[in-house]
Amino acid sequence: MAELKRKVFHILDLVPLSTSSVAPAFSISAAYGVMTEIMGVHATMSVLVAFPFFLMASLLLRKLNKISPNAGASYHWGAKLVGKRYGLFQFWIVSLAYFLSLPPIVIPAGEYTLDLLYRIGIISYSFESSVLWDSIVGIAWVIVSAIPLILGAKPTAKLTEAFLAVELAVLVSFIVIGIYSIPRSINPFSPSMLFDGSFLFSPRGFLGLAATLVIVATILDGWEIDSYASEESQKPTQWPGLSGIAGLAIVFSIYMVTMPLMSMETPTSALSVSVDPLATWASQVIPRYVWVMDIAVISSTASSLWLTAYILSRVWYSAGREGILPSKFSSVTGNGSPWVAVVSITLLEVVVQILQLSSPSLQSFFGLVLTAAGAFLSLEFSMDALTITYLVVKGSIPQRYGAVSLPTALFMSSVVFLGILDAGQAFGINSSQYALVLLSLILPGLLFLLRNRKMKLVEVKLDDLERDVRKDPT
């Protein structure tokens, strides 16, 4: 059986991977406009409400990584610790979560690249506003993003670190400028921007929060990439999980500074209709250098694109060696890259980009896949939390983990079911249409349950696993 290359990632690689995979600049640009349209100046509150539960999810994943580091991560844990049928269904949920996360990255990748080229005078407005050219540039990014994955894990990490350095340098610079510009704010800061009980507990506020949380799930995920990179880590039972927590904390800190500044210094009406809220904010505080913000967003988008594909490629590689997918998916190159999985993901991304041209509205297509991705990401974390809860009930791990896993499972499940009531409204998607799409995507996953007998769990032999397990037998 071909194996991934071992002992590649140091924790100094894993923390940037987890941070860049969340992609703060891209996440804000892709989601904050819609969040503002739904919740107005209270949009940041949805991140503040969701963060504790995602932090709890990261703590649970750290525990699961200690028990069984594996490239299949979530679905492998479910199959090993709960049961094969549970893990097989979870494999489908995880695959949907990350595959559906790709189009909402590819579409903006084309938009932001064309926007930069237009701002610096290389192309005309007709090209910048063309859906066809947006798709062509998006497809180009899909192909480019496959290159570091084919080259191997270490090149992917180093390229990611370089792009993250550019992203953070620009973001920090604009944050400093934004803080300096606070005296000229359009909307003075108020604690209600972060939390407003009267708004939250009103019918409109509650449903708005429910809808927004589905989107927030797509901007607070990605840190878990270190779980899928555990087999390639130097200390697979120590560092994966820990670096994910660090990445989540870093990005949350960026959100809690940047988002309030954007709401204070930009008209709410302008943010709510913007396809690139960061550029809209930059145009308010330093108009001549908006194009610099485009560089940060493109850097963030590109790294998010190949890191999301990285996660999915490891899932499909693991599924190939465990008999869920054809064994060819477990094929790797000499540098340890699961090339069949990478090529398959790339081709499917190109097909989706071509299909989206037939959509009557690019914004509706974007909204549908974005909200669906948020729903399945929430389901993924919910199932991980249920795995921990199952271990607590069995008495396999201390009961204190139940105090974290139960609230996490309930919250993540609620995001999906309450989101159906109002999710997608900002994109012109009604609740019944959204629910039908989710159901039609979930049902094929039941077919994987038929592969119960073909699934053969692969216990990865890692040099330091036995020693670490003796230190922490739970």
Side-chain angles (χ1 to χ4, degrees):
M1 180 183 65
E3 294 183 347
L4 299 171
K5 193 172 182 178
R6 302 294 170 80
K7 296 184 177 297
V8 175
F9 296 132
H10 190 276
I11 193 166
L12 297 180
D13 297 311
L14 292 173
V15 171
L17 281 176
S18 288
T19 304
S20 192
S21 187
V22 184
F26 162 72
S27 295
I28 295 171
S29 285
Y32 197 64
V34 181
M35 292 164 61
T36 301
E37 182 174 356
I38 297 172
M39 296 190 66
V41 295
H42 305 290
T44 308
M45 182 169 64
S46 59
V47 178
L48 192 63
V49 169
F51 174 73
F53 297 97
F54 279 86
L55 180 60
M56 288 192 284
S58 69
L59 295 172
L60 297 176
L61 261 64
R62 174 158 168 71
K63 181 61 179 177
L64 290 166
N65 272 296
K66 284 187 174 184
I67 295 173
S68 182
N70 190 284
S74 289
Y75 94 79
H76 177 85
W77 298 328
K80 177 181 178 178
L81 302 172
V82 180
K84 286 186 178 180
R85 293 188 185 277
Y86 184 83
L88 286 165
F89 183 67
Q90 194 169 6
F91 163 75
W92 179 247
I93 297 299
V94 170
S95 294
L96 283 177
Y98 293 110
F99 185 75
L100 291 174
S101 295
L102 289 169
I105 303 173
V106 177
I107 294 171
E111 291 176 340
Y112 301 148
T113 302
L114 291 173
D115 185 63
L116 174 62
L117 296 176
Y118 171 68
R119 289 183 191 278
I120 60 179
I122 293 179
I123 62 173
S124 65
Y125 179 74
S126 61
F127 281 95
E128 193 268 345
S129 59
S130 169
V131 174
L132 175 61
W133 276 103
D134 175 59
S135 294
I136 292 172
V137 176
I139 290 172
W141 270 116
V142 167
I143 296 170
V144 169
S145 68
I147 296 174
L149 298 179
I150 293 293
L151 292 176
K154 197 65 174 182
T156 299
K158 292 306 177 185
L159 188 62
T160 298
E161 289 162 17
F163 274 58
L164 180 62
V166 172
E167 175 186 0
L168 293 182
V170 174
L171 270 180
V172 170
S173 299
F174 274 83
I175 287 172
V176 171
I177 295 170
I179 293 173
Y180 180 78
S181 304
I182 285 178
R184 302 193 301 272
S185 295
I186 297 172
N187 302 310
F189 176 77
S190 168
S192 65
M193 287 183 175
L194 301 180
F195 192 85
D196 186 345
S198 60
F199 173 80
L200 178 61
F201 295 108
S202 66
R204 180 62 252 171
F206 179 77
L207 289 177
L209 177 67
T212 307
L213 287 175
V214 179
I215 299 169
V216 169
T218 67
I219 70 171
L220 282 178
D221 85 295
W223 46 266
E224 71 278 8
I225 188 174
D226 61 344
S227 297
Y228 297 91
S230 59
E231 289 184 37
E232 297 161 279
S233 304
Q234 293 179 18
K235 295 186 178 181
T237 59
Q238 296 180 32
W239 289 343
L242 182 63
S243 49
I245 294 170
L248 176 62
I250 290 169
V251 175
F252 174 70
S253 300
I254 293 172
Y255 290 163
M256 295 311 293
V257 175
T258 308
M259 288 180 175
L261 282 174
M262 294 171 67
S263 292
M264 291 165 61
E265 298 174 344
T266 315
T268 303
S269 58
L271 281 179
S272 64
V273 298
S274 175
V275 295
D276 187 352
L278 273 177
T280 303
W281 170 53
S283 69
Q284 296 290 316
V285 296
I286 185 167
R288 290 180 59 187
Y289 296 96
V290 175
W291 62 272
V292 179
M293 181 61 83
D294 280 337
I295 293 175
V297 174
I298 291 170
S299 297
S300 182
T301 306
S303 57
S304 178
L305 184 57
W306 65 63
L307 292 180
T308 302
Y310 173 93
I311 295 174
L312 189 57
S313 69
R314 269 50 184 181
V315 173
W316 286 3
Y317 159 81
S318 181
R321 71 182 176 184
E322 295 189 330
I324 303 174
L325 293 178
S327 60
K328 197 66 177 176
F329 277 86
S330 64
S331 301
V332 299
T333 61
N335 56 22
S337 171
W339 68 274
V340 174
V342 172
V343 170
S344 299
I345 293 166
T346 303
L347 292 176
L348 286 172
E349 287 180 78
V350 171
V351 170
V352 171
Q353 276 298 101
I354 295 173
L355 289 176
Q356 65 95 9
L357 288 172
S358 64
S359 174
S361 169
L362 183 61
Q363 183 73 351
S364 293
F365 180 85
F366 173 82
L368 184 60
V369 290
L370 178 67
T371 50
F376 286 106
L377 287 165
S378 298
L379 282 174
E380 175 194 350
F381 292 127
S382 177
M383 294 187 77
D384 288 332
L386 289 174
T387 299
I388 287 286
T389 303
Y390 177 79
L391 295 179
V392 171
V393 172
K394 280 184 62 179
S396 302
I397 60 175
Q399 290 186 354
R400 65 178 181 272
Y401 286 99
V404 177
S405 63
L406 276 174
T408 304
L410 290 172
F411 175 81
M412 297 297 178
S413 300
S414 298
V415 167
V416 180
F417 295 113
L418 290 177
I420 289 175
L421 298 176
D422 207 41
Q425 293 289 344
F427 300 104
I429 306 167
N430 61 50
S431 296
S432 58
Q433 180 185 5
Y434 179 61
L436 183 61
V437 168
L438 291 186
L439 183 62
S440 64
L441 290 172
I442 288 174
L443 288 178
L446 299 177
L447 296 176
F448 280 95
L449 303 184
L450 301 177
R451 300 186 69 82
N452 182 38
R453 295 181 180 178
K454 295 183 179 181
M455 185 180 187
K456 297 180 180 180
L457 287 172
V458 175
E459 296 297 330
V460 182
K461 304 298 181 183
L462 301 168
D463 293 343
D464 61 338
L465 177 58
E466 186 176 353
R467 181 178 69 254
D468 290 339
V469 169
R470 283 201 299 268
K471 290 179 181 179
D472 184 5
T474 63

